[in-house]
Amino acid sequence: MQKITAAITAVGGYVPDYILTNQELETIVDTTDEWITSRTGIKERHILKGEGLGSSDMAVEAIRELLKKRPDVKPEDIDLVICATTTPDFQFPATSNVISDKAGLVNAFGYDINAACSGFLFALTTGAQFIANGTYKKVIVVGVDKMSSILNYQDRTTCIIFGDGGGAVLLEPDTEGYGILDSVLKSDGAGRAHLHQKAGGSVKPASLETVMNKEHYVYQEGQTVFKFAVKNMADVAAQIMERNKLVADDIQWLVPHQANLRIIAATYERMGLPIEKVMVNIQKYGNTTNGTLPLCLWDYEKQLKKGDNIVLAAFGGGFTWGATYIKWAYDGAKYSLK
Ligand code: UT7
């Protein structure tokens, strides 16, 4: 029997119109463009404004774009939607259900995955299993976050880092060896102490007190997270290369989580890759958590060629981290609308 792999066959993305620049942040908190640029690489980020808009609304825009690229695929053909998000529309139901409803994916079932910044990789790997085992033919994996909904714009250590946005990919079966070929995924729950949201869950439900104490915002011990991110993202990227007998020359692209330019540098240097092979868009979007990896694929789609060896790598709250090896399935220039 022919081996089935799950190939990414289309990409869509979305960032909201409003651009929050470092210069505007200088007027909100005690910071400078120079500090933000030199410590993180970020120049601006997009923010979703407007009453009643959430992560699902950005995901729907990304999916609409994806389907526009593939007019042969109808919304009713989609079997499953997996949404990776840390900022769901609601505590329940799952954001994937809201997305399917708004995008007219009437035959799709769905669920969310929460693995913080590694969520897209975890969701991609999970979605790929349904294709590889022959259960489904069309799976959409979304990575999206409205980080502005959980940021304290009085805390200069966190509000400068994150932005809103996300992307979606379509997974379909392939029998020629293209698609998602391997993943190394890791978690260490002890890391939760250093990056989390203190209230709003079952341990500490929302109350007047938790709101007054600003406990619904991102809490991050930046330096500690930085140290773990640098080591673990580079380790796992090296591990997936070794396991698949890949050397630097075999790899066309590294797609790293966009948390900090210095963490990205540690990863590509460890892999022995030149910067030209690294997707970087942190300067314009900041850290969109689950959105970073699909937004990279979206931005660079035009440059991707059938047969390219691509390594995706991520690190995030939990802690969670991982790397995925993909053999790209199509010439991106053919579909890219950008
Ligand atoms: O995606 C999920 C995973 N998250 C990450 O990977 C984030 C990892 N961490 C980081 O990227 C970095 O730690 C940060 C960008 C968050 C911070 O950079 P840093 O180089 O680790 O700075 P720091 O926390 O060590 O702070 C250095 C100084 C401090 O001042 P003192 O104590 O030296 O006087 C901070 O108070 O910079 C100060 N500082 C700022 N100054 C201007 C902190 N934030 C700012 C700011 N503007 N926005």
Side-chain angles (χ1 to χ4, degrees), residues 9-14 58-81 99-108 137-142 167-172 298 301 330 334-337:
T9 53
V11 180
Y14 180 78
M58 296 187 284
V60 167
E61 293 296 334
I63 290 172
R64 285 200 179 122
E65 197 207 53
L66 180 155
L67 291 174
K68 210 163 133 192
K69 289 177 182 173
R70 287 287 306 273
D72 57 311
V73 179
K74 304 277 169 269
E76 55 271 27
D77 297 338
I78 305 303
D79 301 305
L80 163 64
V81 175
I99 293 169
S100 293
D101 181 43
K102 289 180 178 170
L105 313 179
V106 290
N107 292 316
K137 298 271 187 292
K138 287 182 173 44
V139 173
I140 286 180
V141 177
V142 175
V169 299
L170 177 64
L171 296 179
E172 292 181 284
W298 182 56
E301 185 187 27
Y330 63 97
K334 157 168 116 177
Y335 288 133
S336 182
L337 302 172

Side-chain angles (χ1 to χ4, degrees), residues 88-105:
D89 281 15
F90 309 103
Q91 187 85 326
F92 75 92
T95 304
S96 62
N97 293 20
V98 184
I99 293 169
S100 293
D101 181 43
K102 289 180 178 170
L105 313 179

Side-chain angles (χ1 to χ4, degrees), residues 25 37 59 84 111 128 162 169 188 252 262 302 318:
L25 276 169
T37 307
Y111 54 88
F162 296 96
V169 299
D188 178 1
Q252 278 71 42
R262 291 179 287 149
K302 239 188 220 168

Side-chain angles (χ1 to χ4, degrees), residues 30-32 35-36 39-40 117 156-157 160-162 195 220 222-223 225-226 229 257 259-260 262-263 287 315-317:
D30 180 16
T31 192
T32 60
W35 191 95
I36 301 172
R39 298 285 176 131
T40 69
C117 298
R156 68 176 182 171
T157 68
I160 54 116
I161 300 171
F162 296 96
L195 179 51
Q220 175 171 258
Q223 272 190 21
V225 177
F226 184 90
H257 173 51
N260 188 312
R262 291 179 287 149
I263 300 172
N287 181 349
F315 180 87

